[in-house]
Amino acid sequence: MAKRGYQPERTCLGCGARERKAELMRMIVNGAGQLELAGQGQRGGYLHRRPECWSGFVSRKNHFRAFRVEVAKAAKEQLLRDLKDRVGA
Ligand SMILES: [Zn+2]
């Protein structure tokens, strides 16, 4: 069962499911057009800590409104590599 109290939710850009923010990783598009993990700052997108969701995010071609900019496939693939290094998946 869910805990009592307000739990902000965000949508995972990989699988499209809504999830408690605390369970997701937040990322932003930096000035160079690259994705990076960031706890706060400009508008960001969210992903589960699951390789399936990272892959889903990379393969999706739609414009990500979360970032308000087009995210290049190369930037997504770079993020995937960073995530695998960082999380050890
Ligand atoms: Zn997901």
Side-chain angles (χ1 to χ4, degrees), residues 11-17 19 24 46-50 52-54:
T11 301
C12 171
L13 295 179
C15 64
E19 180 65 89
L24 299 166
Y46 293 83
L47 280 174
H48 282 113
R49 294 181 177 84
R50 293 200 295 250
E52 309 90 88
C53 292
W54 308 341

Side-chain angles (χ1 to χ4, degrees), residues 27-70:
M27 62 202 166
I28 60 156
V29 179
N30 66 21
Q34 296 184 317
L35 289 160
E36 60 181 49
L37 295 177
Q40 54 192 330
Q42 63 199 88
R43 285 183 66 89
Y46 293 83
L47 280 174
H48 282 113
R49 294 181 177 84
R50 293 200 295 250
E52 309 90 88
C53 292
W54 308 341
S55 305
F57 171 62
V58 170
S59 60
R60 284 172 73 173
K61 289 185 177 130
N62 51 318
H63 178 96
F64 291 102
R65 281 180 302 156
F67 300 114
R68 299 199 173 198
V69 293
E70 200 74 47

